[in-house]
Amino acid sequence: MTTEPNNKTIERQVDRRRTFAIISHPDAGKTTLTEKLLLYGDAIHLAGSVKSRRAARHAVSDWMEMEKQRGISITSSVLQFPYRDYAVNLLDTPGHADFSEDTYRTLAAADSAIMLMDVAKGVEAQTKKLFKVCAMRKIPIFTFINKMDRYGRKPLELMEEVEETLGIAACPLNWPIGMGKDFQGVYDRQSEQVILFDSEGTHGETKVEERRLELDDPELEKILSPRQFDTLQEEIELLDIAGDPFDLQRVHAGELTPMFFGSAITNFGVRPFLDAFVEMAPSPRQAREFNVEPTRGDFSGFVFKIQANMNPDHRDRLAFVRITSGVFEKDMQAKLLRTDRQIKLAYPQQMMASDREMAQQLYAGDIVGLYDPGRFRIGDTLYTGNPVDEQEIPRFSPEHFAVVQIEDPLRRKQLIKGLDQLSEEGTIQVFRQPGKGSLDVVVGAVGILQFEVLKHRLKTEYNVEVSLRHLDFSHARWLQGEFDEDALNRQQFLKVLHDRDDLPLLLLRNDWALNYTTQNYPDIELLPNPPGTPGLEELHDVTHGF
Ligand code: G4P
């Protein structure tokens, strides 16, 4: 039996939550680091390289693959594990290279991010894009320079690159001692101690031995080569004079990134990083605000992701809810803000990395997967007690469009069902051409890869084969004001469509068409997203790279 949590309990529980995502360029080591965080969180006891990941990486979640390979009980969207006194929620961001809305939405549910980089590569294309999304939302970012067991670029050079390319001040909290096969450990600038690692007898499968020594311990001079010792002394002095001082407020404001060095594969530096991270990362109370106060007694949360058919044996669909206040309990009743309907939050899926049991009570910062028979949409807000404001999840405007052509007209019903469900999940947006009947469907996506996902999923999950005829348009704008649809349609570089709520929108061939229409149709307002949805115009350069 569970007792009713009081306000003090809620505060204490919220304060121990750490909800974050890892952002990185493919191959920087996100899967490996995730696995090692689980190892240190005692969610798994033996880590091992996950084989044949490479082939699967671009299509499915790395974590699902990991689950298959390792037989550990994780779900693909969120991992929850206790670490020291903290309750850690690690959100998965899709591993494929094509930047998608999905990644953005996941970051909307995170309170902080770990930016992972390969020491040999530094800031890469995907790092920049994801960083920009975090920076726009002022999400605190913790930098981990990985693969120190390999020779790479100089740590000072990387620090400069982060500051210059990304425009954020960096403050190394530890500093590497050596690199490649000479990587011995890190100097912890806060305790002013050297942490040496020893992987004797393990290949990163189990936690490494750590030894802490004061900088002036004579033992240290015996362990490090004279050159390593001198370099360390020099670099520490240089950082003390030149670097930005540590300032937690600036970290929480997203202005300063604490920097760490390590090697996920050998576990060197993983524990010091995790320790510092849980202590410094904001709790939901310290994080940027959602629509409600996290310690409000009444429950609230919002759907940031919908994932269908996670288990091919059951046609299940899960709506992932970030809890924003109060306490979530299994089978509780809550109101769906969009429809004003009371619903039972039944069959919640546990997200514990190590335990199949569903946690009895969840608090702000936690994520719960709710069984979804098709009633939720991305951005939906749930609450009990007094109504809360809607949690806004901004959307990207689609930039790729295609007409869906069905191979077997008898499968039409399944096609419509599949398209409906996939658009609710946010994989694609579905539009209809007015007057053309429901068969002539146009789909829009932010990244071209989403079309491949669409075709694949229609085939495997709905048994519908389709081909997609790409349309030569690159912008979508929702229409407001006075306009004549037929007149607009007569322009070759424009096409009027209707969205799932029957709101009219315009496809425009290119930037020129957008300028032309803006100038020549002054009575029309062109919106990058449906009216009332917060738009993300400024993210245009994120989807288009730098
Ligand atoms: P990702 O999820 O960010 O795409 O990266 P992932 O962890 O899959 O790592 C990409 C490759 O980098 C893997 O090698 C992995 O073993 C390696 N790696 C990760 N962390 C480290 C590290 O600290 N040091 C070194 N030296 N390598 C690291 P792979 O050959 O692609 O795959 P695998 O056969 O090892 O699984």
Side-chain angles (χ1 to χ4, degrees):
M1 208 187 101
T2 55
T3 46
E4 190 76 2
N6 58 27
N7 281 359
K8 272 267 153 301
T9 313
I10 295 181
E11 276 175 29
R12 204 173 49 80
Q13 289 291 353
V14 169
D15 288 345
R16 52 190 283 268
R17 257 78 192 158
R18 298 291 181 270
T19 304
F20 67 101
I22 302 178
I23 58 170
S24 61
H25 193 83
D27 268 357
K30 188 170 65 134
T31 316
T32 311
L33 182 66
T34 301
E35 200 178 24
K36 298 316 172 74
L37 295 179
L38 293 180
L39 178 71
Y40 278 92
D42 287 324
I44 54 172
H45 298 292
L46 201 63
S49 33
V50 181
K51 293 294 169 207
S52 29
R53 230 166 20 209
R54 197 171 279 281
R57 185 171 301 149
H58 302 286
V60 293
S61 163
D62 294 342
W63 290 5
M64 275 178 129
E65 195 55 26
M66 198 154 119
E67 184 168 36
K68 267 212 307 256
Q69 302 282 342
R70 306 281 307 150
I72 52 176
S73 56
I74 55 176
T75 55
S76 68
S77 285
V78 60
L79 292 174
Q80 190 181 70
F81 58 92
Y83 183 70
R84 290 173 28 193
D85 241 1
Y86 300 90
V88 178
N89 291 305
L90 168 47
L91 308 181
D92 187 20
T93 48
H96 57 69
D98 199 359
F99 182 81
S100 74
E101 269 186 289
D102 213 27
T103 312
Y104 182 81
R105 293 193 206 108
T106 301
L107 289 171
D111 293 330
S112 59
I114 292 173
M115 178 165 68
L116 183 69
M117 277 181 231
D118 181 330
V119 64
K121 308 246 177 82
V123 178
E124 295 180 83
Q126 195 79 348
T127 335
K128 281 188 199 165
K129 290 181 188 177
L130 292 162
F131 172 85
K132 182 135 194 215
V133 174
C134 293
M136 278 178 43
R137 301 187 68 99
K138 298 194 169 47
I139 299 176
I141 296 168
F142 295 76
T143 304
F144 186 85
I145 306 288
N146 192 27
K147 307 198 185 182
M148 290 303 297
D149 59 293
R150 284 200 187 149
Y151 288 98
R153 293 170 47 194
K154 290 203 174 78
L156 277 172
E157 197 184 300
L158 285 171
M159 192 179 142
E160 259 173 43
E161 184 174 271
V162 167
E163 295 193 320
E164 277 165 26
T165 325
L166 303 178
I168 186 170
C171 174
L173 289 188
N174 64 32
W175 199 252
I177 304 168
M179 188 185 272
K181 64 177 173 32
D182 298 325
F183 181 47
Q184 310 241 25
V186 291
Y187 169 71
D188 176 15
R189 292 182 72 204
Q190 286 191 311
S191 65
E192 300 187 352
Q193 286 177 329
V194 164
I195 310 173
L196 298 171
F197 303 104
D198 188 356
S199 61
E200 203 62 33
T202 142
H203 300 284
E205 293 146 340
T206 52
K207 297 171 193 171
V208 282
E209 293 290 322
E210 292 173 19
R211 228 174 124 193
R212 283 181 176 260
L213 293 176
E214 299 299 326
L215 204 51
D216 57 7
D217 192 320
E219 182 80 357
L220 190 62
E221 281 192 71
K222 287 190 216 151
I223 299 168
L224 303 187
S225 70
R227 203 165 133 233
Q228 268 185 334
F229 191 75
D230 291 346
T231 311
L232 178 64
Q233 299 269 15
E234 274 165 34
E235 290 182 337
I236 291 171
E237 275 172 37
L238 194 71
L239 287 177
D240 286 344
I241 310 164
D244 272 60
F246 179 72
D247 177 342
L248 192 60
Q249 256 184 336
R250 287 187 72 205
V251 173
H252 284 186
E255 294 165 13
L256 180 73
T257 178
M259 244 176 134
F260 302 83
F261 295 83
S263 152
I265 206 136
T266 60
N267 302 340
F268 284 23
V270 173
R271 191 208 304 270
F273 169 67
L274 186 55
D275 278 338
F277 175 76
V278 289
E279 281 164 23
M280 291 170 189
S283 72
R285 266 217 281 185
Q286 295 163 316
R288 97 206 117 69
E289 284 183 14
F290 286 101
N291 48 352
V292 285
E293 194 50 47
T295 51
R296 185 182 101 120
D298 289 322
F299 163 81
S300 67
F302 67 93
V303 178
F304 67 95
K305 183 184 176 98
I306 294 177
Q307 198 166 337
N309 305 325
M310 287 173 63
N311 177 350
D313 297 336
H314 309 106
R315 277 289 162 89
D316 56 348
R317 191 160 97 147
L318 283 184
F320 289 91
V321 175
R322 148 95 196 205
I323 298 167
T324 42
S325 75
V327 188
F328 172 91
E329 279 169 343
K330 185 174 175 301
D331 290 341
M332 69 186 289
Q333 299 270 344
K335 255 191 169 175
L336 182 60
L337 190 69
R338 177 169 49 85
T339 58
D340 208 31
R341 286 249 180 91
Q342 190 83 5
I343 45 180
K344 184 175 165 187
L345 307 184
Y347 311 109
Q349 299 290 309
Q350 55 79 27
M351 299 293 158
M352 300 296 284
S354 59
D355 192 349
R356 286 234 169 249
E357 281 303 300
M358 159 83 194
Q360 287 294 317
Q361 287 164 337
L362 299 174
Y363 297 86
D366 289 337
I367 313 292
V368 63
L370 297 176
Y371 168 69
D372 176 21
R375 58 159 80 107
F376 296 118
R377 283 188 186 181
I378 301 275
D380 268 347
T381 298
L382 291 160
Y383 70 95
T384 59
N386 290 332
V388 296
D389 290 338
E390 192 175 339
Q391 177 63 43
E392 294 182 339
I393 299 195
R395 291 175 71 170
F396 287 100
S397 203
E399 291 168 11
H400 301 277
F401 306 90
V403 176
V404 181
Q405 287 164 330
I406 187 166
E407 310 273 308
D408 175 4
L410 293 176
R411 305 290 304 160
R412 188 187 140 184
K413 238 170 91 181
Q414 285 76 5
L415 171 68
I416 300 298
K417 184 172 170 214
L419 288 174
D420 273 352
Q421 294 197 343
L422 293 172
S423 76
E424 277 162 14
E425 272 179 53
T427 312
I428 38 125
Q429 294 192 37
V430 176
F431 307 116
R432 295 203 157 88
Q433 308 193 49
K436 288 241 178 166
S438 60
L439 250 191
D440 216 359
V441 174
V442 174
V443 287
V446 177
I448 199 88
L449 195 77
Q450 275 151 277
F451 285 156
E452 290 310 309
V453 174
L454 171 71
K455 266 170 42 180
H456 178 75
R457 291 192 54 186
L458 282 175
K459 187 166 170 218
T460 53
E461 293 166 25
Y462 301 92
N463 196 16
V464 182
E465 299 246 16
V466 295
S467 57
L468 296 176
R469 185 166 54 82
H470 286 255
L471 294 172
D472 187 16
F473 293 98
S474 60
H475 300 289
R477 290 291 180 270
W478 272 256
L479 290 161
Q480 288 233 288
E482 295 279 309
F483 55 88
D484 173 350
E485 288 193 13
D486 292 337
L488 289 171
N489 265 333
R490 277 196 289 276
Q491 300 278 22
Q492 273 195 352
F493 48 87
L494 301 177
K495 187 183 195 66
V496 179
L497 300 174
H498 284 209
D499 71 7
R500 65 175 176 187
D501 296 318
D502 208 29
L503 298 171
L505 68 143
L506 194 60
L507 299 193
L508 304 107
R509 180 137 305 159
N510 46 28
D511 289 346
W512 175 86
L514 186 57
N515 282 338
Y516 178 90
T517 313
T518 312
Q519 281 167 15
N520 289 278
Y521 295 90
D523 294 338
I524 307 180
E525 207 187 335
L526 299 171
L527 308 171
N529 284 290
T533 315
L536 273 182
E537 255 304 66
E538 67 268 50
L539 270 180
H540 184 75
D541 57 343
V542 173
T543 51
H544 282 76
F546 276 53

